[in-house]
Amino acid sequence: MSVSFSSGKNFTVGSGPSSIVVKDLNGDGKLDLAVANFTSNNVSVLLNDGNDGFGTPTNFTVGTNPVFLASEDIDGDDNLDLVVANADDNNVSLLLNDGKGGFGTPTNFTVGAHPSAIALADIDGDSKLDLVVANADDDNVSVLLNDSNGGFGTPSNFTVGGNPAAIALGDIDGDGNLDLVVANADDDNVSLLLGDGNGNFGTATNFTVGTYPSAIALGDIDGDSNLDLVVANYGSSNVSVLLNDGNGSFGAAKDFTVGASPNSVVLEDIDGDGKLDLVVAKDTNTKNVSVLLNDGKGGFGTATDFTVETSAAYAAVGDLNGDEKPDLLVANADSDKVSVLFYNSAPTDLMLEAIADDNDDEKAICMFSTTDPDKNDQHTYSLVAGTGDTDNDAFTIEGDSLKIKSDITKSTYNIRVRTTDSGGLSFDKELAINVNELGLAATNQITTIVNFINITENIFTVKSKVKGGKAKLSIKIESSTSKVVNEIGIFIVDDAQGTIDGIAPGAAGYAEAALKRSKIVCSALANAPTGFNPADLPSLLEFDSGANLRFYMVRNSTTDAVISGKTSLSDVVFSSATNVKVEGSETEGFALIWKGVSAGGSDLKIKIKETNEKIPPGIGLQGKHQGELIDLREVKTQVKAEFIVNREASYDNLVGFCKVNDENGGIDSDGDGTVDIRPGDPGYLKAMIRSRVEGIDLKVNNQGTATFSGNFESSSLFAPFILVNTTVEAILSSNSDDLAVFSPFLGANSGKNNHVRLLGNNCFGFEDMKGGGDRDYNDLIVQVKLTVNT
């Protein structure tokens, strides 16, 4: 098996980055970066932004020429602290974490001359992390035991070889005590010092490796449950593998070529086969990092190289984007950048969707799309030889369009198509094109034909008659007599019985699994303002053909509130034969009637039918958590917006839209291309008002209806907000932190309550009272019709 990584994405840090830590530094469940900068004498901390990137670096001053960095919880407060080796100050800096990803003033601990590497572990068995430091100019290592007060004690020194350049801690002899392994650069060997469990180490035993060993890593390479050793040999352009002999020692070194000047090694399962693979960074003009896959025999295969920006000082591995795949990070020694190479997964499916004809000589009849675990990957399409390629010669592919070369001569064509991602990985598929289903034989106009079928009393399946096509549904509220606002959602199940990952309806864990898959459709108001009719407001949704669907209702609350634990799972009512009546047919569509289960004992009726209507622009995030947004990021021209506003409130409120820079509400307030303020940060609400779209200030008299028009810029994301009984000028001039401004982002709202509900496609209902108010979401209702300018 081969592995693939994306081209390096570079992030600015300090000067001369020398070492990297990949840890969750602010406790939000995402991996962040800390980078030691050798030349600028500081550490850069970059917090994960949740969108395949990192925020602006925050720099923390340390000592002179910081050469190595590690991160663990030193003071026992469950926050990860930083420990830095300052090569020219002969000391180590400890920076305690403030719990938010920031760090305090460094406390320095004296060690030996020219500290070159550090390791953190509990070496004396007191459940506190101790510090071991390699002192390059003293030919020894210093051990500093944890003092139980958030620091370290006086160092004890242990002699090793000449110019110790790297250290690692692990239980080599299997006695339950941590042992010490040291790479001695000037002696071309490594020293093993066995630990006694009390913070002391025995006399060094030396093992010959390659020339000028500069980095080491410990891991079970051959699968025998003993820790083996990998050594990067800077002077001999290779790595040495020394397998554990099972008796507290290592066997003879076996060398593997990696390229010039290797100076950093990481052992990690890169290809997911359960065996440790090897990542090697190199201080060389070849500007790459190497990956060597485990050969299953106690060694590694041939190196595969991936390009980075400059010569590499250090490599690290971590899942930065939450796809459960390892990504590579490299400190570029000759620049102020860290390169991130995201794991590239192969495409998993190829689909074909009907499109309208172009009236040119080669008729575009279908459009390709790809299913790929990598959300931002790009794909190219090609006709390839193989099974099912009978009619390849009748077609050409331009971009993502399939074009037929000449007149249609038969009812079915068979082709074989390959989709290839930006990393060179591909997926091939045999496709059958039925021209009658596409309508080509008669009119050259292609219509996506949909079947919407009631499989059981509560499970529906939706199918497109166009091979590879999407199926679209129109869902709208036909009637509701409930006294509270109820939310309607939909989720995909695995079969006609409604199971999810093997969990049957009604079984423990089913509700939680369903809501994790769910998409919010709309909310049914209890008291609609004059002039607003929810029956005129369909929600259009698109699904893969063959999807099995089930509906649910949340009584007087939201899906988000249930998932967060604010609302009980007992308020989620799944469609079933006992509580939902199904009316209608496959030709007329179906109605789902919740039979008196909503609060107040009243019924709710929604109408569902297949449709060929075009999915409106802007709804890509709607239905997701905090997804009451207008998403125009894929639109390349200006968008015209027409607004209809209704009101049922005594307050004189105003609704506007602000530009945000990611789906979590981050705002680039200074225009430098980087998010610098997020929901919940001081000043966020004012930043939101300042980034509002000028000219879209939506107001109406109580029980009135008003229309407005405006424009949204292309390639952007917009969030609605409500100003309660105040003005833009009053908010911006206020000195209070308690502002009457609410948005879809719960972290920005006082009390973190929901004040914006999705009533349908591009239709938002607002609650204007603090603390969640009466939760009627009819104080202002804004419908938005978007037209993409051509």
Side-chain angles (χ1 to χ4, degrees):
M1 177 182 177
S2 61
V3 292
S4 175
F5 291 89
S6 66
S7 300
K9 187 175 182 180
N10 296 318
F11 297 90
T12 300
V13 291
S15 299
S18 58
S19 181
I20 305 175
V21 161
V22 186
K23 295 286 183 76
D24 180 10
L25 299 176
N26 61 351
D28 65 352
K30 297 185 283 287
L31 293 181
D32 310 305
L33 300 187
V35 183
N37 303 305
F38 185 86
T39 306
S40 54
N41 300 326
N42 58 18
V43 173
S44 297
V45 173
L46 296 82
L47 300 180
N48 196 313
D49 65 7
N51 193 34
D52 290 358
F54 299 93
T56 303
T58 302
N59 297 321
F60 300 89
T61 300
V62 289
T64 306
N65 298 145
V67 69
F68 200 93
L69 176 67
S71 180
E72 296 291 350
D73 179 14
I74 303 301
D75 57 356
D77 65 353
D78 294 326
N79 299 313
L80 295 176
D81 309 307
L82 298 179
V83 182
V84 188
N86 303 305
D88 285 2
D89 285 346
N90 302 333
N91 64 20
V92 171
S93 294
L94 169 61
L95 295 82
L96 297 180
N97 193 319
D98 64 5
K100 301 177 182 178
F103 296 89
T105 304
T107 301
N108 297 323
F109 299 88
T110 301
V111 291
H114 202 87
S116 59
I118 55 181
L120 297 168
D122 178 16
I123 59 176
D124 60 354
D126 65 352
S127 300
K128 301 178 181 66
L129 295 179
D130 309 306
L131 171 64
V132 180
V133 184
N135 302 306
D137 289 352
D138 283 346
D139 300 340
N140 64 16
V141 295
S142 296
V143 174
L144 294 81
L145 298 180
N146 195 305
D147 65 5
S148 301
N149 293 310
F152 300 102
T154 304
S156 300
N157 297 324
F158 298 86
T159 300
V160 290
N163 189 10
I167 54 176
L169 290 166
D171 184 8
I172 305 301
D173 57 358
D175 64 352
N177 300 319
L178 291 179
D179 309 309
L180 176 63
V181 181
V182 184
N184 303 305
D186 288 350
D187 292 345
D188 300 338
N189 65 20
V190 292
S191 296
L192 170 62
L193 294 81
L194 298 180
D196 65 2
N198 296 312
N200 298 306
F201 294 96
T203 304
T205 303
N206 297 324
F207 301 87
T208 300
V209 291
T211 305
Y212 207 83
S214 59
I216 56 178
L218 293 171
D220 181 11
I221 296 170
D222 56 359
D224 65 353
S225 300
N226 297 314
L227 291 179
D228 309 306
L229 174 63
V230 174
V231 183
N233 301 307
Y234 188 92
S236 51
S237 303
N238 60 14
V239 295
S240 296
V241 173
L242 292 81
L243 298 180
N244 195 311
D245 65 4
N247 296 310
S249 186
F250 297 105
K254 182 178 180 181
D255 296 331
F256 297 85
T257 300
V258 293
S261 307
N263 62 347
S264 178
V265 287
V266 181
L267 287 171
E268 190 76 34
D269 181 10
I270 300 297
D271 59 358
D273 65 353
K275 305 184 205 50
L276 292 178
D277 307 307
L278 179 61
V279 178
V280 184
K282 292 164 283 184
D283 180 18
T284 173
N285 289 330
T286 55
K287 301 179 182 179
N288 61 39
V289 60
S290 297
V291 175
L292 293 81
L293 298 182
N294 195 309
D295 63 8
K297 303 174 183 178
F300 299 97
T302 303
T304 302
D305 297 331
F306 299 93
T307 301
V308 294
E309 184 168 89
T310 71
S311 60
Y314 195 84
V317 176
D319 177 14
L320 299 177
N321 55 1
D323 64 355
E324 299 183 354
K325 299 291 176 59
D327 307 308
L328 305 184
L329 299 96
V330 178
N332 297 297
D334 297 332
S335 76
D336 57 355
K337 301 287 195 304
V338 168
S339 294
V340 176
L341 292 77
F342 289 103
Y343 189 97
N344 181 40
S345 298
T348 58
D349 201 3
L350 170 65
M351 292 150 288
L352 196 62
E353 181 178 2
I355 60 174
D357 184 27
D358 277 15
N359 290 325
D360 56 8
D361 291 336
E362 294 185 338
K363 300 168 184 175
I365 62 170
C366 294
M367 182 172 289
F368 296 109
S369 62
T370 298
T371 300
D372 193 319
D374 305 316
K375 63 181 179 181
N376 295 320
D377 217 340
Q378 302 295 314
H379 301 87
T380 56
Y381 301 94
S382 57
L383 295 160
V384 293
T387 304
D389 67 352
T390 310
D391 300 308
N392 278 14
D393 290 342
F395 297 90
T396 61
I397 294 176
E398 293 184 10
D400 56 2
S401 297
L402 178 69
K403 295 187 175 184
I404 192 163
K405 292 179 178 178
S406 58
D407 292 339
I408 296 170
T409 58
K410 55 184 181 178
S411 61
T412 301
Y413 290 85
N414 293 289
I415 61 174
R416 187 173 185 85
V417 180
R418 173 174 296 162
T419 176
T420 304
D421 69 14
S422 56
L425 302 182
S426 63
F427 175 85
D428 292 7
K429 189 172 183 179
E430 176 186 355
L431 298 170
I433 302 171
N434 188 316
V435 298
N436 293 325
E437 289 183 350
L438 297 180
L440 291 176
T443 65
N444 281 336
Q445 294 298 315
I446 302 169
T447 302
T448 301
I449 304 170
V450 178
N451 277 348
F452 183 56
I453 305 165
N454 185 10
I455 308 175
T456 67
E457 193 66 24
N458 58 25
I459 308 296
F460 296 83
T461 187
V462 59
K463 293 182 178 180
S464 170
K465 290 185 177 180
V466 177
K467 187 176 181 65
K470 296 281 188 178
K472 291 182 283 188
L473 296 179
S474 169
I475 305 172
K476 64 181 180 180
I477 298 167
E478 193 158 284
S479 64
S480 175
T481 54
S482 173
K483 297 178 181 179
V484 295
V485 179
N486 299 309
E487 185 174 81
I488 302 299
I490 191 171
F491 58 97
I492 295 174
V493 296
D494 297 336
D495 52 36
Q497 288 70 47
T499 60
I500 300 175
D501 295 331
I503 306 173
Y510 183 83
E512 293 88 342
L515 294 183
K516 287 181 180 178
R517 290 188 176 188
S518 67
K519 184 178 182 69
I520 299 165
V521 177
C522 59
S523 291
L525 298 181
N527 182 22
T530 301
F532 177 76
N533 183 6
D536 296 333
L537 189 67
S539 295
L540 304 183
L541 301 178
E542 191 172 53
F543 300 93
D544 289 334
S545 182
N548 296 314
L549 309 174
R550 192 178 185 191
F551 292 83
Y552 70 93
M553 179 182 72
V554 183
R555 296 181 293 195
N556 197 27
S557 191
T558 66
T559 302
D560 290 341
V562 176
I563 292 174
S564 67
K566 290 184 177 180
T567 295
S568 171
L569 283 169
S570 63
D571 288 317
V572 181
V573 183
F574 293 101
S575 58
S576 69
T578 59
N579 54 39
V580 174
K581 180 181 178 182
V582 178
E583 294 180 347
S585 66
E586 295 173 21
T587 56
E588 298 297 326
F590 295 94
L592 269 60
I593 305 170
W594 269 266
K595 299 181 290 188
V597 296
S598 57
S602 302
D603 290 335
L604 171 66
K605 183 177 182 179
I606 62 172
K607 188 66 177 289
I608 312 156
K609 64 182 300 182
E610 62 271 21
T611 183
N612 289 317
E613 292 182 65
K614 187 176 181 180
I615 298 293
I619 69 170
L621 295 174
Q622 293 171 22
K624 298 181 179 180
H625 174 60
Q626 300 183 151
E628 295 88 359
L629 308 173
I630 291 180
D631 184 2
L632 302 177
R633 291 175 294 182
E634 300 300 320
V635 178
K636 303 305 180 187
T637 58
Q638 189 182 61
V639 178
K640 180 181 179 181
E642 298 176 31
F643 304 92
I644 301 175
V645 185
N646 298 94
R647 169 178 161 189
E648 204 288 320
S650 57
Y651 288 156
D652 188 19
N653 302 321
L654 177 147
V655 165
F657 287 81
C658 68
K659 181 179 177 180
V660 294
N661 293 83
D662 60 35
E663 5 186 304
N664 299 314
I667 295 176
D668 173 17
S669 60
D670 56 9
D672 66 354
T674 302
V675 169
D676 43 43
I677 190 167
R678 296 189 173 278
D681 290 346
Y684 178 80
L685 293 176
K686 288 188 177 181
M688 189 172 64
I689 301 305
R690 292 190 184 98
S691 67
R692 72 192 186 281
V693 181
E694 294 288 346
I696 301 181
D697 300 310
L698 310 179
K699 302 182 71 172
V700 66
N701 294 327
N702 194 21
Q703 300 299 343
T705 299
T707 59
F708 300 85
S709 62
N711 292 289
F712 289 118
E713 66 180 278
S714 62
S715 307
S716 300
L717 192 61
F718 300 92
F721 62 85
I722 183 171
L723 303 186
V724 179
N725 212 29
T726 187
T727 64
V728 168
E729 293 74 19
I731 291 293
L732 293 179
S733 62
S734 173
N735 294 320
S736 173
D737 292 329
D738 187 17
L739 302 176
V741 183
F742 302 112
S743 77
F745 307 112
L746 305 187
N749 296 337
S750 60
K752 294 182 171 50
N753 290 301
N754 194 347
H755 284 263
V756 186
R757 290 279 283 271
L758 184 69
L759 305 185
N761 293 154
N762 291 329
C763 183
F764 312 102
F766 296 85
E767 169 57 53
D768 64 5
M769 297 177 66
K770 291 184 179 180
D774 54 6
R775 298 189 293 180
D776 55 9
Y777 298 95
N778 63 354
D779 299 316
L780 271 185
I781 295 175
V782 176
Q783 302 176 59
V784 189
K785 180 182 178 182
L786 299 173
T787 304
V788 178
N789 296 328
T790 59

